[in-house]
Amino acid sequence: MLNKHLNLNPKLFDSDVEQAPLRDGFGKGLVKAAEINEKVVGLCADVTESVRMHWFAQKFPDRFIQTGVTEQHMASCASGIAAMGKIPFISSYAMFNGGRNWEQIRTTICYNDVPVKIAGSHSGLSVGPDGGTHQALEDMALMRVIPRMEVVAPCDALEAEKATVAIANTKNPSYLRLAREQTPVITTADTPFEIGKSVILWDNTAQVDCIENRKPPTKNSRNSRVAIIACGTMVHKALVAGRELASRGFGVIVVNNHTIKPLDKSTLLNVASKVDFVITAESHQIYGGLGGAIAELLSENMPKRMAFIGVRDKFGQSGTGEELFKHYKMTHVDMVNAAITFAEG
Amino acid sequence: MLSEAVREILKHKANEIRKDVVRMLAIAGSGHTAGSLGMADVFTLLYFYILKHKPEKPNWEGRDRLILSNGHICPVLYATMAHAGYFDIEELWTLRKFGSRLQGHPHREFLPGIETSSGPLGSGLSQALGMAIADRMDFGNQSGRFFYCIMGDGELNEGQVWEAVLHAGKEKLHNLIAIIDRNDIQIDGYTHEVMPLEPLKDKWESFNWHVQEVDGHDFDALHGAIDLAKNVNNKPSVLIAVTVPGKGVKEIERKPEWHGKPPNKEEARRFLMELEKDF
Ligand SMILES: Cc1ncc(C[n+]2csc(CCOP(=O)(O)OP(=O)(O)O)c2C)c(N)n1
Ligand SMILES: [Mg+2]
C-alpha cells in the first residue's frame, strides 16, 4: 500500500507519469536557497547550464563564480570561500566533482570542516550514450567514506529541489547526487523531506500478515516478506517492483533512502525487523554505496539475507538507459526475481 | 627601508625562531628541517611587521589571512606563532606528539590561528583565492585585508596550482599575495633537476600576475616587495623569494636530503651552537 501520509504523486504508477531530471530540481532549489540565504554562492566548472546552475548564475551574477574546467581548484577555492562564512555550492559532473577532486574534498573541505555543498550531476548508468568514462558509479562510495560528509541521493526532481534547500542549512559538507535523464516524479510539493530521514513509500506487510492461511507467493515459499531499499533514480523502479511483488502475495516495504549518510538507523532497523529479506537498489557499484551502507548497518545490528541490485564490479558503456539497466540487471524485474529466488530458496 | 633598530629586532627574532625549529624537530624526531629554516626570515617579517593580526584574538575578523600551502614547513609557522604570542613556547616541544595541537601537518581544527589544514601540496593557493573572492564579494576593495599564500617551489609541480594561478589572473585579485619559497630543493633532489621551473617569472607574468623576484633573507628587500605587492591594483601578486634551504646551519644548507629529516640530538647541539655563535 502506498503511504497515504506522504502526498505522493497520484499518477506515479501511470505510464504518462510526469518526468523531470533531478538536475532541474537542483537548479530550482539553488535559486530558492539563494533567495533565502544571501550567503549562498555558486561555483561551476564550465558545465553551468548542463548542471542547471545557469538559473542561479542569471539571477545572482555577483554570487556566481565561473572557474573554468578546474574541478580540483574549484573544490579548494570553495573551501576558502566557506572559511569566510559563505555557503558555496560547487557543481560539475559527478565523475569529476567528487571523482577527480576527491582529495581536495577530503582535505580542504572535510578535514578543514567547512560547509561546502558538492553537486555531482550526471551520476549513474543513465548518462547512457556518453559511455563508461562519464558514468559515475563510484561516487557515493567515495563520498561516504569521508568523515563529516553528508550524502544525499534524491529520488526525483522535486525531492532534489527540497534537498538542495535543505543541505544549504546544514553545517557539514554535503554531497548531492544528481542525474541528467528524465525521471518519473514520485513526490509532490507537499511530500515531506528531511535529511537523514528515510521514507517508507509502500508497506503492505500488515495486510499480508493478517490474512489467515493466505496463499503463499511461490510454490515452496517460506520467506515472503521483503524490503526494497533504494535511492535516487532507482526508487521508482523499486516502487514498481514492490507493487508487482505485493500482487503476487509478498509483504513488501519500499524505502526511499535518499540520505545515504547519515543513515536513518531507527527507521531502517524497524523496517528490517519486519521482513525476511532485504534488497538494495542503486545506480552505482554494489560495493561501497547504498547497499554497502545498509549491509554495514544490518550486519552489526540485525543480520538479514540481502540482495544487491547495482553494477557488479564492471564499468559502464554506451547505450540508452533502458538498454543499460537491462544489461546490468538493474530493472524492476530483476528486483522481483531476487525476491522470488529468495522465497523459493 | 626598515630602520636599523627594526632590522636588528627582526634578525634576532628570526634567529630565535630558527633555534626553536631545531629544538622542536630534534625533540619530535621527525619533520622537515630545510624549508623551515629557509623560511624563518619570511615568517618573521610577516608575523612581526606585515600581518594585521591579534595573537590573543586569533579569530578576529579583520585579520589578514596567512595560508600555508606547503604544510610540511609548519615547524617555522608554529615557532613564529609562539614567538608572536599565540601560545607558549613550551608547547613547541609537543610537535607531532599524540594529543598535541601542533600536528605533523597543520590542522585548523586543533590550533586557532591556523587558517587552513594543509600537507597535501597544491591546494593552498585555491583556498587563499577563495577567501580573497569572498572578501571582495562582501567589501569590494574596502576591507583592507590581504590574503597571503606561502608555497614551495617543488609544490609548483602540482597541476592544481596552475588552475589557481589561471583563475586568480582572471579575477584580478589585488588582495591576493603569493610567496614562493624558491629554494631549489624538493624531496628527490634539486628542483632544477627534478622538474625545472624556469623561466618561472615569465610563467607567472604570462598568467597576468605581478611578479617580483626577491632575496628571501633580506628583510628590506622583502619588506619593499610586499609593500609594492599590496599597492598593485587589478592584479594578484607573487614574490619569488629566493632562499637557502637549511639557512643558518652551513653543513646542511642547500642539501635536498635535509628536506624531510630532523637533526638528531648531537646534530641539534651543533646546529644550535652555530646559530648562537653566528648571531
Ligand atoms: C599532493 C602531495 N604529493 C606529495 C607530497 C609529498 N611531498 C611533501 S613535500 C614534497 C616536496 C615539495 O617540494 P617543495 O615544495 O619545494 O618543498 P621543500 O623541499 O622546498 O621544503 C613532496 C613531494 C605531498 N605532501 N603532497
Ligand atoms: Mg623547495
Side-chain angles (χ1 to χ4, degrees):
Chain A
M1 301 291 100
L2 275 177
N3 186 337
K4 298 255 162 28
H5 307 294
L6 296 176
N7 300 308
L8 296 174
N9 182 357
K11 293 182 67 176
L12 95 95
F13 286 122
D14 298 354
S15 57
D16 63 342
V17 58
E18 179 198 316
Q19 308 233 1
L22 268 59
R23 57 178 171 161
D24 286 21
F26 164 67
K28 290 178 187 160
L30 186 59
V31 170
K32 265 196 190 165
E35 284 166 349
I36 296 166
N37 189 341
E38 62 177 19
K39 294 192 152 121
V40 169
V41 302
L43 295 87
C44 191
D46 198 29
V47 288
T48 309
E49 181 171 346
S50 184
V51 301
R52 298 294 188 262
M53 204 183 246
H54 62 307
W55 295 319
F56 167 86
Q58 283 156 8
K59 191 137 193 230
F60 302 98
D62 298 340
R63 288 153 65 181
F64 172 70
I65 297 159
Q66 167 64 264
T67 66
V69 201
T70 66
E71 298 80 11
Q72 301 171 73
H73 162 68
M74 176 173 69
S76 302
C77 180
S79 160
I81 292 172
M84 300 299 284
K86 297 193 181 292
I87 304 164
F89 278 73
I90 60 175
S91 61
S92 181
Y93 303 156
M95 200 61 252
F96 316 127
N97 192 30
R100 167 148 316 187
N101 55 9
W102 185 84
E103 192 275 331
Q104 283 82 1
I105 291 172
R106 178 188 186 269
T107 306
T108 69
I109 295 175
C110 295
Y111 189 61
N112 238 338
D113 197 11
V114 285
V116 175
K117 310 296 168 176
I118 301 153
S121 184
H122 294 48
S123 72
L125 269 187
S126 51
V127 181
D130 278 341
T133 52
H134 281 57
Q135 293 159 0
L137 300 173
E138 301 81 12
D139 54 317
M140 286 195 288
L142 287 171
M143 293 296 112
R144 190 167 79 79
V145 291
I146 311 178
R148 297 198 172 110
M149 183 69 90
E150 300 164 346
V151 180
V152 183
C155 72
D156 66 15
L158 279 174
E159 192 166 273
E161 184 176 330
K162 291 175 201 156
T164 305
V165 173
I167 62 173
N169 288 322
T170 64
K171 65 173 195 9
N172 279 323
S174 319
Y175 177 70
L176 181 65
R177 186 175 211 239
L178 303 166
R180 177 176 65 186
E181 78 283 7
Q182 294 285 351
T183 303
V185 179
I186 298 168
T187 63
T188 63
D190 298 326
T191 307
F193 174 85
E194 196 185 320
I195 289 177
K197 195 90 204 74
S198 300
V199 183
I200 296 173
L201 294 174
W202 173 288
D203 183 352
N204 70 319
T205 51
Q207 287 86 339
V208 170
D209 285 346
C210 73
I211 303 170
E212 274 180 19
N213 303 324
R214 65 201 163 88
K215 189 165 135 283
T218 63
K219 250 199 324 261
N220 317 309
S221 102
R222 294 178 301 268
N223 299 310
S224 55
R225 289 170 309 170
V226 53
I228 310 178
I229 301 172
C231 67
T233 52
M234 297 297 276
V235 173
H236 189 260
K237 298 186 210 300
L239 269 173
V240 173
R243 188 178 63 157
E244 164 87 24
L245 285 167
S247 77
R248 293 177 182 225
F250 280 84
V252 190
I253 304 177
V254 178
V255 179
N256 170 15
N257 198 81
H258 52 65
T259 307
I260 287 77
K261 192 182 166 193
L263 271 185
D264 181 354
K265 293 181 183 162
S266 68
T267 300
L268 290 166
L269 290 176
N270 189 33
V271 166
S273 72
K274 295 185 185 164
V275 299
D276 309 303
F277 184 51
V278 172
I279 299 171
T280 58
E282 60 200 306
S283 187
H284 187 274
Q285 302 287 353
I286 61 167
Y287 303 138
L290 170 70
I294 301 293
E296 288 156 18
L297 176 73
L298 295 186
S299 55
E300 216 168 41
N301 296 281
M302 193 182 290
K304 290 280 162 187
R305 277 283 303 282
M306 289 181 68
F308 301 89
I309 299 287
V311 179
R312 306 186 84 86
D313 205 16
K314 294 269 191 300
F315 290 111
Q317 58 183 301
S318 289
T320 64
E322 204 178 332
E323 287 165 334
L324 293 171
F325 284 113
K326 221 167 168 174
H327 176 80
Y328 292 98
K329 303 201 177 345
M330 291 163 58
T331 65
H332 77 272
V333 177
D334 298 299
M335 300 178 205
V336 169
N337 289 342
I340 291 172
T341 306
F342 173 74
E344 289 180 343
Chain B
M1 278 281 274
L2 301 166
S3 73
E4 184 65 33
V6 166
R7 198 179 307 120
E8 283 313 306
I9 290 171
L10 292 173
K11 272 189 185 164
H12 177 72
K13 273 281 172 227
N15 197 58
E16 291 301 305
I17 286 166
R18 282 197 171 89
K19 289 195 289 193
D20 280 339
V21 164
V22 169
R23 292 184 184 113
M24 292 163 79
L25 287 164
I27 293 170
S30 67
H32 299 75
T33 305
S36 299
L37 292 176
M39 285 295 278
D41 297 321
V42 169
F43 273 84
T44 301
L45 181 73
L46 283 168
Y47 274 85
F48 289 93
Y49 204 74
I50 306 273
L51 289 182
K52 234 178 343 137
H53 65 141
K54 296 185 178 173
E56 71 291 350
K57 228 177 138 189
N59 294 325
W60 173 50
E61 270 305 312
R63 71 192 185 279
D64 291 332
R65 305 295 199 270
L66 183 133
I67 288 83
L68 180 67
S69 189
N70 49 341
H72 64 276
I73 68 163
C74 58
V76 68
L77 172 64
Y78 295 149
T80 310
M81 285 173 70
H83 279 268
Y86 280 87
F87 50 85
D88 287 346
I89 304 273
E90 292 300 307
E91 194 170 346
L92 292 176
W93 322 138
T94 68
L95 172 70
R96 289 179 165 247
K97 298 224 188 309
F98 180 74
S100 172
R101 298 195 297 170
L102 313 189
Q103 292 287 294
H105 292 84
H107 190 16
R108 156 184 134 111
E109 191 186 0
F110 287 8
L111 185 63
I114 298 285
E115 301 292 355
T116 64
S117 304
S118 59
L121 296 167
S123 53
L125 188 61
S126 301
Q127 292 173 80
L129 184 157
M131 292 179 191
I133 287 187
D135 182 76
R136 187 174 66 187
M137 276 180 179
D138 287 342
F139 300 102
N141 287 345
Q142 301 305 310
S143 82
R145 297 185 293 202
F146 283 89
F147 299 82
Y148 296 92
C149 180
I150 312 273
M151 328 165 68
D153 53 0
E155 179 178 18
L156 302 185
N157 298 172
E158 284 285 350
Q160 188 189 344
V161 170
W162 298 97
E163 295 181 354
V165 174
L166 191 59
H167 188 193
K170 168 190 168 188
E171 298 286 347
K172 301 186 166 59
L173 291 161
H174 79 103
N175 52 356
L176 180 64
I177 300 176
I179 302 177
I180 299 169
D181 176 15
R182 185 73 173 113
N183 62 6
D184 197 36
I185 66 159
Q186 54 197 105
I187 292 186
D188 276 357
Y190 296 108
T191 296
H192 69 265
E193 285 171 1
V194 175
M195 185 57 75
L197 295 165
E198 296 301 335
L200 188 57
K201 185 164 189 268
D202 296 357
K203 286 190 175 69
W204 286 77
E205 268 170 355
S206 72
F207 282 77
N208 297 321
W209 282 62
H210 181 266
V211 190
Q212 301 176 76
E213 277 168 327
V214 56
D215 178 344
H217 303 301
D218 179 335
F219 287 115
D220 283 297
L222 277 170
H223 172 242
I226 294 176
D227 219 34
L228 179 59
K230 286 167 79 169
N231 286 298
V232 171
N233 286 323
N234 263 331
K235 264 189 185 186
S237 281
V238 59
L239 271 59
I240 302 176
V242 179
T243 67
V244 175
K247 172 80 177 175
V249 181
K250 284 280 170 309
E251 65 182 281
I252 71 166
E253 283 185 358
R254 297 197 168 81
K255 295 208 171 119
E257 59 268 31
W258 279 92
H259 154 90
K261 90 173 170 182
N264 62 31
K265 295 273 140 66
E266 192 39 50
E267 288 165 334
R269 218 162 289 141
R270 245 187 2 252
F271 295 4
L272 286 171
M273 265 161 55
E274 182 175 345
L275 288 164
E276 200 76 60
K277 168 164 65 64
D278 283 1
F279 193 68

